[in-house]
Amino acid sequence: MKLKLSSSVIPWLILLTCILLYLYSSVLSFYSSTANSSFIRLRDIRKSPTCNFSEGRWIRDPSYQPIYGANCPFHRNSWNCLRNKRENMRNINSWRWVPDSCSLSRIHPVEFLGLMRNKNIGFVGDSLNENFLVSFLCILHTADEGAKKWKRKGAWRGGYFPKFNVTVAYHRAVLLAKYDWQPTKFPGQDGLKGIYRVDVDVPANDWINITKFYDVLVFNTGHWWNHDKFPKETPLVFYEKGKPLLPPLKVSDGLQVVLNNVVSYIEREVLPRTVKLWRTQSPRHFYGGEWNQNGSCLFDGPLDENQLDLWFHPKNRGVNKEAREVNHLIQQALQGTSIKLLEVSHLSEFRADAHPAIWLGKQDAVAIWGQDCMHWCLPGLPDTWVDILSEIILNNLERG
């Protein structure tokens, strides 16, 4: 028996079908647009030039392990904590930095070098920028094992990656300004052996001629600006336009004058298209005294956030206070310039556990130099600096 539909029902069925199809397409469109917008928001947050990578927290992630190992050809022995069998290395490298307001991806060495093809990256400053560079070179080496050591144009050390025609190098200029030793001809009763003349308005020879070579430049200074490096027997004396500055400047005032002059030189001489960055001060973690006073950093894990001011705030006059003091001067010098801060200080303040300490690769090193609570184990914390640096570089290149 055939079922017959009333002619009056058919229009209602058609209308109902249309309504259902409309509702289905609307729901599908809603979920699709929501998913897409979420992806776009996440991508935009990660790529946003205003993203603050420096504020966040360290979380323990056992799956988070180094990209490179002890056999990287660019290692410096005293920082190669895997080869030196530093205790607790697996734990040290199982901490991952998570920014509060955005995501931080690990660098993809092949992708990064591909995007940097035919470009050059330069680091200028003291040994903490060298520490940074070695981390960078070892990470990039995993993408081009044919990389070669490179020491041209006055570079202290560097690497050339032939697959991508990329050079990454470090120029050692601990004060950034030119300085020379001038022994005194007539040592007096005050014990003065001579002075280190600092020409505040003349960049160090190590980097004065490389301002047009690099597409990215990362500057730092700070760890040599103290009386430990330049005691009263061999002080810094500051000159400008060939004449001594009078009255003589204190070390901190001399640093401020040098920063102002160097920043002006960078603004004037470095090409506008160059990505110009200034890395903030890397904090030290000497506990119980300075490096030559049995200062130690044998810690099992990161510091708690409520401990940081006790360690680093200048008002507490601790041995590690200089990082925040130097950062204040750097921030003043960079105001109104095209040089961007590469902020790594805060996230690094936590990591009292991540220094070479007593594992320096030589049996008598600690007896001579004390524990190293200033530089960082590699692989280690500077690998996170590299992640941040790579994000900033690529963001700047994308914006042209």
Side-chain angles (χ1 to χ4, degrees), residues 284-287 303-322 324 349:
R284 310 180 312 154
H285 289 92
F286 287 100
Y287 179 77
L303 300 176
D304 294 329
E305 186 156 14
N306 59 14
Q307 295 177 282
L308 300 184
D309 280 352
L310 181 63
W311 275 74
F312 300 107
H313 200 291
K315 71 180 181 182
N316 293 319
R317 311 308 299 168
V319 298
N320 305 291
K321 66 183 184 301
E322 96 288 336
R324 294 190 184 183
E349 286 182 347

Side-chain angles (χ1 to χ4, degrees), residues 134-203:
V134 173
S135 166
F136 204 9
L137 291 177
C138 285
I139 287 172
L140 297 181
H141 179 258
T142 64
D144 185 356
E145 294 187 352
K148 302 174 182 178
K149 293 182 179 180
W150 190 91
K151 293 181 68 174
R152 301 177 186 175
K153 295 187 176 293
W156 184 263
R157 68 163 63 205
Y160 174 67
F161 299 86
K163 282 186 181 179
F164 305 91
N165 191 31
V166 171
T167 298
V168 183
Y170 160 70
H171 296 257
R172 187 176 187 271
V174 296
L175 302 183
L176 294 180
K178 179 183 178 182
Y179 78 104
D180 297 294
W181 168 245
Q182 295 184 348
T184 182
K185 295 180 180 178
F186 306 102
Q189 293 181 349
D190 56 3
L192 183 68
K193 299 176 181 178
I195 65 165
Y196 284 96
R197 168 177 168 165
V198 182
D199 287 280
V200 298
D201 51 348
V202 181

Side-chain angles (χ1 to χ4, degrees), residues 181-374:
W181 168 245
Q182 295 184 348
T184 182
K185 295 180 180 178
F186 306 102
Q189 293 181 349
D190 56 3
L192 183 68
K193 299 176 181 178
I195 65 165
Y196 284 96
R197 168 177 168 165
V198 182
D199 287 280
V200 298
D201 51 348
V202 181
N205 291 333
D206 307 82
W207 70 278
I208 194 170
N209 295 319
I210 54 94
T211 55
K212 308 295 190 292
F213 178 71
Y214 291 104
D215 301 277
V216 179
L217 279 167
V218 182
F219 294 91
N220 99 290
T221 190
H223 289 287
W224 281 63
W225 292 89
N226 56 65
H227 295 290
D228 178 50
K229 294 289 187 182
F230 300 102
K232 63 180 181 179
E233 296 85 5
T234 56
L236 296 175
V237 177
F238 300 96
Y239 283 66
E240 188 172 25
K241 296 180 180 178
K243 297 180 180 180
L245 287 169
L246 297 173
L249 299 180
K250 296 187 298 183
V251 171
S252 59
D253 294 330
L255 171 57
Q256 186 70 79
V257 174
V258 166
L259 288 173
N260 292 337
N261 277 279
V262 167
V263 166
S264 295
Y265 182 83
I266 294 169
E267 290 282 81
R268 186 172 66 251
E269 296 295 331
V270 176
L271 297 174
R273 62 172 173 78
T274 302
V275 178
K276 300 178 285 291
L277 301 170
W278 199 293
R279 180 183 59 74
T280 57
Q281 193 74 344
S282 175
R284 310 180 312 154
H285 289 92
F286 287 100
Y287 179 77
E290 273 286 1
W291 65 272
N292 57 352
Q293 299 170 339
N294 296 318
S296 176
C297 50
L298 300 174
F299 293 89
D300 294 329
L303 300 176
D304 294 329
E305 186 156 14
N306 59 14
Q307 295 177 282
L308 300 184
D309 280 352
L310 181 63
W311 275 74
F312 300 107
H313 200 291
K315 71 180 181 182
N316 293 319
R317 311 308 299 168
V319 298
N320 305 291
K321 66 183 184 301
E322 96 288 336
R324 294 190 184 183
E325 292 176 334
V326 170
N327 283 344
H328 177 68
L329 299 179
I330 292 170
Q331 289 164 359
Q332 287 183 324
L334 296 188
Q335 285 182 359
T337 73
S338 62
I339 306 169
K340 299 178 176 63
L341 272 179
L342 175 56
E343 170 56 69
V344 300
S345 299
H346 178 64
L347 68 91
S348 304
E349 286 182 347
F350 291 90
R351 299 308 306 274
D353 60 319
H355 298 282
I358 61 175
W359 292 273
L360 301 176
K362 291 184 179 180
Q363 190 171 3
D364 58 348
V366 175
I368 297 172
W369 299 107
Q371 293 191 30
D372 188 350
C373 303
M374 180 170 69

